[in-house]
Amino acid sequence: MKIFFSTLFDQQTYPENIFLQNSVAIGNRHMGPLALLDFLELHLGLPGSCASKMERIFNYRKNLLHNSKGTFYEKSIKTNDLEVAIKLLTWRDELKIAGWDFKTDKTTPARLQHLANAEKPGIGDHNPERFCRIIEALNDMPKLPLVEIILHEPPDLLPSHLTQLFALLSAAGINIIHHETTVQETLASDLDNLRSFVLDKNSSKEKSGLKGDGSIQILRFGDLLSGGKGLAALLAEDYFKPVVINEPVDVSLSLSLMENGLPSTGQAMQSVSHPDLQLLAILPVWLWKPYNPQQVLDFFLSPLNIFPRGLSARWIDLFSENPGIHLNDWLEQIDEYVTITNSERDNGKHKERLDFILNTAEERSKKISIEKIAAYYNFFYSIFNKRCAVTTDEPIRTRLQRLCNAFKQMIDVIRLAPGEELDAHGLQKLLELVLQPISIVPFEKQAGSVHEIPGAGLLAGDCDDLLWFGFTANNNSGTLWDEWTTEESAWLQEKKILVDTAVIKAKRDFWFLTQWLRFVKKRLILVIPSVVNGEPAQAHPFHPFLNACFESLHPVTINVERPDEMHLLNTKQKLTEKITIHPIPAFPGYWKIETGLLTKREKEESFSSLEKLMKYPYRWVLEYKAKLYRGNTPCLPANFTFYGTLSHKIFQELLLMPGILKMGHNELKKIYSDTTEKFINQKGLLLYTQGEEGVLKTFREYLFEKFLILIKHLKDNNWQVEGCEIVASGTIGQEAVGGRCDLLLKRIKNKMAEKAIVDLKYSGRNKHRKLMEDGEDLQLAIYSKIFHPLANYCPTSYFVITEGLLFTTCKDAFNTGIILRQGSNYVNTYSNVLNKIDSTIKFRRKEFSEGKIEVGENVSIDELDIFNLDKNSYIVPKQESSVKCRSDYNDYVTFIDTE
């Protein structure tokens, strides 16, 4: 048997490589270091068993901690013990495979002495131990079923331990040869000039000029996704089969080839872990309080959690609106779900599982025992394992098996962890050991597919065209520095411990960076993105060779703006044809429809709908007549909306408590504290997210003082609380209008029943003060009418919670508040405002009856009828200079900002 050997690939990773068939007869073996170890162990009769990676890390960590006092790693291992253990175990394995027995003397450098002290029994065998056993067995000159090993790399550039291995194999009668490819004679093309410059070192003081003959081409794209689309379009139109080097391991090209109906490269998609396995990382959310709100949401969004998808969806809706744990509401959802799905037999199971996760947590400051955490993960593992046993859907079964295997590994890792307890950070470090990057979906290679390799060093056979996809710097580049100091390297060399020097590593990196030039016959095509992973792309390590060889790369660089119309140099180019240009139209002033189609709504109007009707009629039509709504996305609410909603809930709960206006300060403070904690847990988990500590303190402490201010306003003016979130209806002109009042007050004065409205606002002092001063508080004008129909109008106010300020236009109602518009009567003001609202609504209804729907955003006011109306009699929208301004947060801009 013959073996073709390269340090860059292994049998398990690259089972076949078509580029090697010119070098090795088909049917022989292509191997890397690990595959060669397997082969030799098999034929030498050696055991190939290894300790698990996790077990070795924890064993070595134990040794390091035991000997850490006074070492170079003492402070580091206290900060991040697992990362330090992993790094130093890599160093230890490098020294072991280089032949060190970890014996020291008086001349041993300090760091090596510290590593030798950590070399205690029980670390566990792995590849270094396997290699040492093979070296020992080969010293007996065994007979192997092997004739020849062909080396891809030059022997003098191989790692030192492999040089030792091949020397023993050669002594055993196996022919070790280096497959060297000579540089072909140049034809004076751009590619030939580059090849000669790099490989033959034919450099001169003057740089070469580019011929632009197409042998070297540079394609610049915005990103690799655009590059993949452009190349797929090119291959579909002018089919050629390049060898593809894809160092970033980006799937854009492979996906684009599939979308165009072309054979895929067969590349696997990579992920930080399989999406299903992310459940392991989400599960700790239930172990420590307060819960992380985003992880709670992610838990229920996970397709393979322990609850049915329909039930999880119900909880997601509740949690998205009010991020908190409200057990009673969640239990009600279980009852409703099992009734609708006729699965009452599962009611107890769902409640038992919910009870388990919600009664597991400890406070964030506490540690949890290893046994409890292992039992916690085992609870989920048993559920998935049972589900896997009865699942007949093969894809789901495969996913469950993968998840179960990950859970078993995680449980084993938890039990390996030293000590008796873990905190949240410690558990996170264990999770990182399990959730390693893996392939998600390996694509199947198809007949006629292009050949893709992850590194230039793997190219070992001739090819006409080489396409370097993502010709940028990446993490796979070799390093040009060595961990060992000069003193350490000298000591190791004296003891004949063969570690690679920095010089050897640099030479090996240079060889892999340049030797692919020997095999490219016709064209080198470099695809360079401007942006990689959201950051500006950095130059590839080979790029300086291009700059050093040629005067300018501009003649062979194509900046691709439209990937679907790209072309290569020296190909037949399309002639530009004149086309008719249609400029993007201006915003329409009106949509025209058939008269009589638009009528009143089936439901009563609200302030929100009336505002749209008066200022932005097309939005009223789309939302309330066409019934176009924004889709429901399960996500956490925006902070500003969340703060306002939560503060409203707390204040309203307190205000509705019997006797709240008669309580003393201490009693009020205790009730406020209890109520706040209840609502934070039930609806306010967002306050526990990182960075919100100040707002959490505000809700717990500072808002109590503002609540006392509101209570004092009520007491000083003899008001009683009639209700919160009160719903009422009334009429404005001919329109039926409904509203919801934050706080409705009542009192008896001069034997007359009076009412008042307080609109609670979390913040926005300047905004709401200006609304009231300018008489533009349209919502309060409407509420003043419909919430006190007997008197026609009632006094209103804004209470800004964070500021503790109450704005009103009626001194008689709130004589200790900030009184605005003191020279006018609020009754007359609201009467005028409502008349303007009624006139404006009639005007818009008249437009609808004529089949006109005003859009008009950013349209000149001269083209819109409403700006011809008297501002004293109508509600006229705002304008910027000579145009009507666009409304903020316009959900329907798509309908008007199009061709």
Side-chain angles (χ1 to χ4, degrees):
M1 176 186 292
K2 292 183 181 181
I3 291 177
F4 187 98
F5 179 88
S6 173
T7 58
L8 278 190
F9 68 91
D10 219 290
Q11 189 178 29
Q12 293 90 336
T13 309
Y14 306 103
E16 60 177 345
N17 194 323
I18 194 168
F19 312 117
L20 306 180
Q21 292 183 1
N22 294 333
S23 305
V24 180
I26 295 176
N28 289 323
R29 304 283 292 278
H30 307 139
M31 291 186 183
L34 295 181
L36 185 58
L37 287 186
D38 291 341
F39 177 85
L40 292 174
E41 281 177 336
L42 175 65
H43 294 285
L44 292 172
L46 298 174
S49 59
C50 291
S52 74
K53 173 186 174 183
M54 304 302 174
E55 186 178 355
R56 294 184 79 239
I57 291 171
F58 284 108
N59 290 340
Y60 198 62
R61 172 193 172 279
K62 181 180 179 181
N63 291 354
L64 292 170
L65 287 171
H66 183 72
N67 296 278
S68 64
K69 188 173 182 179
T71 62
F72 70 93
Y73 59 82
E74 181 180 8
K75 293 182 179 179
S76 299
I77 203 166
K78 289 178 180 178
T79 303
N80 195 337
D81 55 346
L82 286 178
E83 287 294 327
V84 172
I86 292 170
K87 179 64 177 177
L88 295 187
L89 182 59
T90 303
W91 286 16
R92 177 264 177 198
D93 286 348
E94 180 184 350
L95 293 168
K96 179 70 174 178
I97 207 169
W100 191 25
D101 57 6
F102 295 95
K103 293 180 180 179
T104 61
D105 54 35
K106 294 181 179 180
T107 64
T108 306
R111 290 201 306 173
L112 294 176
Q113 181 68 60
H114 296 159
L115 292 175
N117 293 340
E119 187 63 18
K120 305 295 182 184
I123 295 174
D125 289 356
H126 210 259
N127 293 331
E129 286 73 21
R130 295 172 63 196
F131 180 82
C132 292
R133 287 194 292 264
I134 288 172
I135 293 295
E136 185 178 351
L138 287 176
N139 284 323
D140 295 333
M141 299 295 177
K143 188 170 181 61
L144 295 170
L146 190 56
V147 176
E148 189 174 77
I149 296 180
I150 303 170
L151 303 179
H152 177 38
E153 296 98 321
D156 60 325
L157 296 183
L158 289 173
S160 302
H161 66 281
L162 291 177
T163 301
Q164 179 189 8
L165 174 63
F166 289 133
L168 289 173
L169 291 173
S170 179
I174 298 167
N175 192 22
I176 310 293
I177 64 172
H178 171 228
H179 176 72
E180 187 170 359
T181 303
T182 58
V183 181
Q184 65 180 10
E185 294 184 6
T186 63
L187 300 174
S189 69
D190 289 336
L191 179 59
D192 292 323
N193 288 340
L194 177 64
R195 188 174 6 245
S196 178
F197 173 80
V198 175
L199 299 179
D200 295 339
K201 298 181 174 58
N202 292 335
S203 59
S204 62
K205 292 183 179 180
E206 294 185 2
K207 296 182 178 183
S208 301
L210 277 167
K211 303 177 183 298
D213 54 21
S215 60
I216 296 179
Q217 306 190 37
I218 299 175
L219 306 178
R220 288 191 173 274
F221 291 87
D223 51 39
L224 285 178
L225 180 59
S226 298
K229 292 179 178 179
L231 292 170
L234 180 67
L235 292 175
E237 182 178 349
D238 183 19
Y239 191 69
F240 69 102
K241 291 182 62 175
V243 174
V244 178
I245 297 175
N246 189 352
E247 285 183 307
V249 198
D250 189 275
V251 296
S252 298
L253 177 58
S254 193
L255 289 172
S256 298
L257 290 173
M258 295 178 69
E259 289 175 0
N260 282 267
L262 298 172
S264 165
T265 65
Q267 179 192 342
M269 296 179 68
Q270 299 291 317
S271 173
V272 175
S273 184
H274 194 284
D276 291 343
L277 302 190
Q278 291 303 315
L279 186 58
L280 273 76
I282 298 168
L283 283 183
V285 66
W286 305 113
L287 285 172
W288 283 278
K289 294 183 199 175
Y291 303 119
N292 181 308
Q294 186 59 55
Q295 283 194 319
V296 173
L297 194 63
D298 291 343
F299 175 82
F300 290 119
L301 284 170
S302 174
L304 291 180
N305 69 47
I306 58 175
F307 298 100
R309 185 172 299 180
L311 180 57
S312 293
R314 287 169 167 262
W315 286 338
I316 287 171
D317 288 341
L318 288 175
F319 192 81
S320 297
E321 185 175 348
N322 297 297
I325 311 299
H326 200 309
L327 184 59
N328 292 335
D329 289 351
W330 289 24
L331 291 174
E332 287 178 9
Q333 291 297 326
I334 293 178
D335 293 334
E336 292 181 13
Y337 174 78
V338 297
T339 300
I340 292 173
T341 58
N342 295 318
S343 57
E344 284 85 354
R345 65 185 184 280
D346 294 329
N347 190 308
K349 178 178 69 176
H350 299 327
K351 290 182 177 179
E352 180 184 345
R353 292 179 180 179
L354 181 62
D355 180 70
F356 174 82
I357 63 175
L358 294 183
N359 286 284
T360 298
E362 300 285 352
E363 292 300 320
R364 181 66 61 174
S365 58
K366 295 183 179 179
K367 292 185 176 182
I368 301 179
S369 71
I370 294 288
E371 286 304 315
K372 181 176 179 180
I373 294 176
Y376 173 79
Y377 272 89
N378 198 63
F379 172 81
F380 291 92
Y381 167 69
S382 62
I383 292 174
F384 295 126
N385 202 31
K386 291 175 183 177
R387 189 185 299 176
C388 183
V390 298
T391 298
T392 56
D393 187 322
E394 196 57 36
I396 297 296
R397 180 181 172 83
T398 300
R399 292 170 63 186
L400 286 169
Q401 286 176 334
R402 183 190 297 114
L403 191 60
C404 288
N405 291 336
F407 265 96
K408 286 174 62 178
Q409 186 181 13
M410 184 65 202
I411 293 168
D412 291 341
V413 168
I414 291 171
R415 296 192 187 282
L416 282 171
E420 298 181 354
E421 296 179 318
L422 277 175
D423 58 13
H425 179 65
L427 181 57
Q428 182 61 38
K429 289 195 292 184
L430 299 184
L431 278 163
E432 291 172 359
L433 295 177
V434 177
L435 296 176
Q436 297 295 325
I438 61 169
S439 299
I440 300 179
V441 181
F443 301 141
E444 294 184 1
K445 283 193 174 182
Q446 300 163 283
S449 63
V450 296
H451 307 299
E452 186 176 77
I453 53 178
L458 283 171
L459 185 60
D462 293 342
C463 65
D464 287 336
D465 298 312
L466 181 65
L467 175 65
W468 206 316
F469 188 69
F471 185 67
T472 59
N474 60 80
N475 293 331
N476 295 327
S477 302
T479 181
L480 298 179
W481 57 275
D482 194 11
E483 289 98 346
W484 307 117
T485 65
T486 304
E487 179 190 8
E488 291 164 346
S489 297
W491 187 88
L492 292 169
Q493 187 174 7
E494 180 185 346
K495 302 297 181 182
K496 294 183 171 48
I497 301 165
L498 307 176
V499 295
D500 287 343
T501 64
V503 174
I504 291 294
K505 290 183 178 180
K507 287 182 177 180
R508 189 186 308 139
D509 290 340
F510 176 83
W511 189 89
F512 283 122
L513 191 62
T514 59
Q515 291 308 298
W516 53 270
L517 273 167
R518 298 178 182 275
F519 305 105
V520 186
K521 302 303 179 185
K522 295 181 180 180
R523 284 190 297 187
L524 170 64
I525 304 170
L526 305 174
V527 177
I528 303 178
S530 298
V531 174
V532 176
N533 296 328
E535 299 290 338
Q538 303 299 313
H540 189 275
F542 187 78
H543 211 130
F545 290 97
L546 292 168
N547 292 330
C549 182
F550 301 112
E551 293 177 352
S552 171
L553 298 176
H554 180 73
V556 296
T557 302
I558 302 173
N559 292 290
V560 184
E561 299 295 334
R562 300 194 60 176
D564 56 336
E565 294 185 0
M566 67 163 291
H567 63 274
L568 296 177
L569 296 175
N570 282 7
T571 59
K572 186 177 180 180
Q573 300 182 12
K574 296 179 180 178
L575 295 176
T576 302
E577 298 178 0
K578 291 184 177 181
I579 59 173
T580 304
I581 297 176
H582 299 284
I584 297 176
F587 283 83
Y590 293 89
W591 285 336
K592 304 289 185 178
I593 64 171
E594 185 178 336
T595 59
L597 289 181
L598 286 178
T599 57
K600 289 188 177 182
R601 291 175 62 192
E602 294 79 8
K603 298 181 179 179
E604 63 185 12
E605 300 288 353
S606 63
F607 165 71
S608 177
S609 68
L610 286 180
E611 188 174 42
K612 292 183 177 70
L613 177 62
M614 293 186 293
K615 297 181 179 181
Y616 304 100
Y618 75 96
R619 299 186 68 187
W620 183 91
V621 171
L622 292 173
E623 184 168 340
Y624 300 108
K625 296 301 291 185
K627 300 188 184 303
L628 296 177
Y629 300 100
R630 177 178 293 179
N632 183 19
T633 303
C635 61
L636 297 175
N639 283 356
F640 184 79
T641 304
F642 165 75
Y643 297 151
T645 302
L646 184 60
S647 60
H648 275 57
K649 297 285 185 184
I650 294 172
F651 273 45
Q652 289 168 350
E653 172 96 351
L654 291 167
L655 290 167
L656 290 175
M657 290 182 179
I660 191 71
L661 298 179
K662 298 179 181 179
M663 291 182 185
H665 182 274
N666 292 337
E667 188 179 4
L668 266 178
K669 188 170 185 179
K670 183 180 185 308
I671 290 178
Y672 174 86
S673 179
D674 294 342
T675 303
T676 301
E677 285 304 313
K678 181 185 78 170
F679 274 99
I680 288 175
N681 290 329
Q682 292 182 355
K683 302 176 185 295
L685 281 184
L686 217 60
L687 294 175
Y688 287 117
T689 55
Q690 189 174 4
E692 297 302 309
E693 294 83 1
V695 183
L696 177 60
K697 188 176 181 66
T698 296
F699 272 89
R700 282 180 169 164
E701 300 176 16
Y702 301 151
L703 292 188
F704 174 65
E705 302 301 326
K706 309 306 186 276
F707 179 71
L708 290 180
I709 294 173
L710 177 60
I711 290 291
K712 188 174 187 306
H713 280 300
L714 304 187
K715 289 181 177 179
D716 289 349
N717 295 279
N718 298 316
W719 290 109
Q720 299 293 320
V721 177
E722 179 170 326
C724 296
E725 293 290 311
I726 298 293
V727 177
S729 299
T731 58
I732 306 297
Q734 299 177 354
E735 297 286 338
V737 181
R740 185 186 298 270
C741 172
D742 287 345
L743 174 59
L744 185 62
L745 306 176
K746 63 181 180 181
R747 71 181 180 185
I748 301 295
K749 186 174 183 179
N750 299 327
K751 298 182 180 182
M752 297 288 293
E754 294 184 352
K755 294 189 178 184
I757 292 171
V758 179
D759 198 26
L760 299 175
K761 300 296 181 183
Y762 180 70
S763 61
R765 173 183 60 183
N766 294 337
K767 172 186 174 182
H768 296 102
R769 177 173 188 149
K770 191 173 189 305
L771 280 175
M772 194 162 269
E773 284 179 333
D774 296 345
E776 293 183 358
D777 48 337
L778 306 184
Q779 183 175 9
L780 290 188
I782 294 173
Y783 287 5
S784 176
K785 173 80 160 93
I786 64 178
F787 280 96
H788 198 10
L790 294 178
N792 280 330
Y793 300 100
C794 65
T796 61
S797 65
Y798 287 117
F799 185 76
V800 183
I801 294 175
T802 54
E803 303 284 344
L805 298 177
L806 185 141
F807 299 118
T808 185
T809 55
C810 182
K811 181 177 182 180
D812 183 59
F814 300 101
N815 55 29
T816 54
I818 299 175
I819 314 301
L820 306 175
R821 294 204 311 264
Q822 296 193 39
S824 61
N825 186 294
Y826 77 90
V827 173
N828 295 332
T829 300
Y830 284 160
S831 175
N832 292 334
V833 169
L834 293 180
N835 287 335
K836 290 169 65 175
I837 291 174
D838 181 41
S839 299
T840 309
I841 293 172
K842 289 178 179 177
F843 172 78
R844 290 304 194 186
R845 296 286 189 200
K846 182 176 182 297
E847 283 187 327
F848 288 167
S849 68
E850 297 170 353
K852 294 170 60 178
I853 304 172
E854 192 249 284
V855 181
E857 298 187 357
N858 284 358
V859 172
S860 171
I861 59 175
D862 296 334
E863 302 177 24
L864 302 176
D865 295 340
I866 195 165
F867 288 99
N868 294 320
L869 303 177
D870 181 8
K871 289 185 178 181
N872 295 321
S873 302
Y874 295 88
I875 305 295
V876 179
K878 292 182 180 180
Q879 64 187 69
E880 291 180 358
S881 63
S882 61
V883 299
K884 180 183 178 184
C885 67
R886 178 178 295 185
S887 58
D888 294 335
Y889 314 111
N890 190 338
D891 297 340
Y892 304 110
V893 71
T894 304
F895 289 91
I896 56 178
D897 196 9
T898 58
E899 295 186 21

